[in-house]
Amino acid sequence: MSQLDQLLAGVAAARVRYLTEVGKLTEAQAHWKPSPEVWSAVENTEHLYWAEHGGIWGIWRALLAKQMGNPVWEGELIHRGLPIETIIERTWRPKEQVPAIAAPCMGGPFIFWLSAFANLQQPLSDLCVALANEDLETIIHPHAISGPLDIRQRFEFLRFHIDRHRNQVMALGLV
C-alpha cells in the first residue's frame, strides 16, 4: 500500500468513526448546545464539511499550480517532516478561532450535513488519483493557522481534524 493509499485510508477510517458514532444522534440531540459558545453536533458536522471541502479544493489548486510551474507557496517549510500532531501542538492555542470560510453558518437538518460530509470521500479519492505520481512533500498548501503544510501533512490534518471534532461531539455526552 502506497503512502497516499495509507493517508486516504486514514481519512476514510476517521470519517467512518465520525459518521458511526455521531450519526447515532437524533435530530434534537444534534442541535443541542450546552452553552452558546459550544458547538452542537450539527455545527461540528457543518464545519467539518466546509473545512474539508476547502482543503480538498486548496490541494487541487496547489497541485495544478505546481504542475504549471507557479506554486502557491514558496518559502521556508517550517514543519518539514513533522507529523500533524506535533504541528498542531506547536501552532494551535487551546481554543482556536475558526476561519470564516469554514465556520458553520447554515444550520439545518443534521442528516443533510452527515450526508454532505460522507460524500467528500469521493472527491478526496479522485484527488489521490491525480496525486499518484507526485512527490507529496513538494506540493504545499498553507493552513490558515499552522502555515505551510505539504500534502502528506494535509491528509494527516484531515484525519486529525475529523477525530478532533468527533471527540468534541462525544464530549457533549449525548450518546
Side-chain angles (χ1 to χ4, degrees), residues 10-11 14 17 48 83-89 92 146 153-167:
V11 177
R17 284 189 298 272
L48 282 171
I84 198 61
E85 289 79 6
T86 302
I87 296 167
I88 297 294
E89 187 178 295
W92 285 34
S146 297
Q153 292 163 333
R154 273 294 186 161
F155 272 76
E156 287 180 351
F157 176 78
L158 292 174
R159 178 213 16 97
F160 172 89
H161 191 237
I162 293 167
D163 283 337
R164 178 183 179 96
H165 284 280
R166 178 180 49 85
N167 290 337

Side-chain angles (χ1 to χ4, degrees), residues 21-32:
E21 294 177 31
V22 176
K24 294 175 185 174
L25 298 175
T26 66
E27 191 71 26
Q29 288 172 318
H31 285 273
W32 181 78

Side-chain angles (χ1 to χ4, degrees), residues 112-133:
F112 168 80
W113 291 113
L114 288 173
S115 176
F117 175 64
N119 283 299
L120 287 174
Q121 194 64 31
Q122 186 59 54
L124 193 60
S125 295
D126 295 343
L127 176 58
C128 285
V129 171
L131 289 166
N133 296 316

Side-chain angles (χ1 to χ4, degrees), residues 123-151:
L124 193 60
S125 295
D126 295 343
L127 176 58
C128 285
V129 171
L131 289 166
N133 296 316
E134 299 289 336
D135 179 353
L136 303 182
E137 292 184 356
T138 65
I139 305 167
I140 309 302
H141 173 47
H143 182 271
I145 297 169
S146 297
L149 301 179
D150 66 34
I151 301 309

Side-chain angles (χ1 to χ4, degrees), residues 17-74:
R17 284 189 298 272
Y18 188 92
L19 293 168
T20 300
E21 294 177 31
V22 176
K24 294 175 185 174
L25 298 175
T26 66
E27 191 71 26
Q29 288 172 318
H31 285 273
W32 181 78
K33 294 171 62 103
S35 63
E37 68 277 353
V38 174
W39 283 355
S40 68
V42 171
E43 290 167 317
N44 273 279
T45 309
E46 181 184 351
H47 163 68
L48 282 171
Y49 172 81
W50 292 123
E52 186 172 343
H53 183 276
I56 294 169
W57 172 86
I59 295 169
W60 272 108
R61 185 175 65 100
L63 169 62
L64 295 176
K66 179 193 172 259
Q67 290 173 341
M68 294 180 359
N70 189 26
V72 298
W73 174 265
E74 292 182 300

